[in-house]
Amino acid sequence: LLALRAFEAVGRLGSVRAAGEELAVSHTVVSRHVRNLEQRLGARLLRPAGRGLALTPEGQRYLAQIGQALDLVERATAELSAPRRRTLAIWCAPGVASRRVLPLLPELEALLPEHEITLLPTLARPDFARDEADAEIIYLETAEPRDGVRAELLSSPRVFPVASAAFRARHADVAAPADLLRVPLIHEESTEQWQRWLRRAGVAEVPQLRGPRLWHAHLAIEAARLGQGVALANAVLAGEDLAAGLLVEMVPSDIRLGGYYFLSEAARWDEPGLATLRDWLRALFATPNGNGA
């Protein structure tokens, strides 16, 4: 490799002395490397030209090929020697990902310049033992103990029914939770959350519920904003729309069905990247639109 570098420098610069200065070796070392290379190849690569050297036809062809090879070696070496950014894979509840994390993602990236952040909006649960994720942000009724996994409650927001202002005006007679059974209800993946909420709100007889199932909370909230019915929301997901008047609460309530949790491997809990992410999330959920007030 040293002989190839010496020949490439001489061929490019046209001078043994200039090549030696570039490579930080004496010109005699450069000459010896070139002579050894010519002997090994059995071909003349350089010829005298005035006060310098010029490439022979064989030397021109050889230089063109090894020049590309040396460029590849240099790039590969630079990639390996450069500081490598570590991936931080975050599995996140879709509504939180789109409405809370994504708008402020540049802020998080600035706090973690040594990490490449991967944000996956999903309701699936990662297997930390298989390194599927570094952290998880999920809404749970309770965080059940899992071997090797640690959890922290970020927020337990109030859950309440919301609709557009126009929808509320059309249904002005809705004054109590039981009255909601007379208007279109919008569900997530099932009717179970509405059933739980209505029971907690004191509705004794909850019939079989109907209405569209949109799987994700943020989609149900968006449908409510479009005037399609009433969805269950919280301030984490709907705080900005409530403040802007795009959504209104249908009835007064003070019901909590669960909370947003941060989970990661217990053994990695205090790693700097995860600790920074956790601190950032605490601040995010503590804002007026994130604390469920």
Side-chain angles (χ1 to χ4, degrees):
L1 186 59
L2 292 176
L4 293 177
R5 290 193 178 279
F7 166 68
E8 188 277 333
V10 174
R12 176 166 44 83
L13 299 173
S15 166
V16 171
R17 189 173 298 278
E21 291 177 356
E22 180 177 288
L23 298 174
V25 297
S26 70
H27 66 278
T28 57
V29 172
V30 173
S31 296
R32 184 169 67 251
H33 281 316
V34 173
R35 286 197 305 270
N36 290 340
L37 182 60
E38 289 179 325
Q39 290 174 4
R40 181 176 179 180
L41 296 174
R44 187 76 179 271
L45 302 176
L46 297 165
R47 61 176 177 80
R51 294 186 176 182
L53 295 170
L55 292 165
T56 64
E58 293 83 358
Q60 291 176 351
R61 292 195 298 271
Y62 193 59
L63 179 63
Q65 295 180 19
I66 70 163
Q68 296 176 9
L70 290 173
D71 287 342
L72 289 173
V73 171
E74 185 174 349
R75 285 199 296 271
T77 302
E79 289 178 3
L80 286 177
S81 59
R84 301 180 66 182
R85 300 180 71 192
R86 179 177 177 180
T87 298
L88 185 64
I90 306 168
W91 288 30
C92 185
V96 174
S98 64
R99 288 179 172 252
R100 302 294 294 169
V101 177
L102 185 60
L104 297 175
L105 191 57
E107 177 183 297
L108 179 60
E109 290 177 316
L111 293 173
L112 296 167
E114 71 282 7
H115 288 78
E116 196 77 43
I117 297 173
T118 301
L119 178 64
L120 177 63
T122 181
L123 293 177
R125 304 297 305 277
D127 186 342
F128 288 107
R130 297 175 59 185
D131 294 326
E132 289 182 341
D134 298 298
E136 179 185 20
I137 306 163
I138 190 71
Y139 187 88
L140 300 169
E141 185 175 355
T142 57
E144 297 181 358
R146 295 165 61 187
D147 289 342
V149 177
R150 184 172 171 180
E152 177 181 316
L153 178 64
L154 296 170
S155 174
S156 181
R158 184 172 62 89
V159 178
F160 45 83
V162 296
S164 68
F167 185 95
R168 183 71 182 91
R170 292 198 305 270
H171 299 277
D173 57 335
V174 174
D179 298 333
L180 293 168
L181 296 174
R182 296 188 278 103
V183 300
L185 302 181
I186 303 171
H187 306 279
E188 296 179 27
E189 69 274 14
S190 73
T191 63
E192 189 269 338
Q193 189 181 39
W194 261 115
Q195 291 171 346
R196 289 174 55 212
W197 189 92
L198 289 166
R199 292 191 186 100
R200 293 281 299 275
V203 179
E205 297 291 334
V206 179
Q208 182 177 356
L209 300 178
R210 301 183 182 276
R213 303 182 186 187
L214 303 183
W215 283 93
H216 298 308
H218 65 294
L219 295 179
I221 293 169
E222 179 64 13
R225 190 180 69 81
L226 294 172
Q228 297 176 8
V230 183
L232 287 175
N234 59 55
V236 174
L237 301 182
E240 292 182 357
D241 288 340
L242 288 165
L246 299 175
L247 289 171
V248 295
E249 291 193 47
M250 288 293 290
V251 296
S253 64
D254 186 13
I255 296 171
R256 288 167 170 78
L257 300 178
Y260 291 99
Y261 288 84
F262 174 92
L263 293 88
S264 69
E265 285 187 276
R268 300 181 54 200
W269 188 261
D270 294 322
E271 284 187 7
L274 290 173
T276 298
L277 171 61
R278 197 163 55 250
D279 288 343
W280 183 79
L281 289 169
R282 289 186 189 123
L284 179 71
F285 279 88
T287 60
N289 288 335
N291 64 6

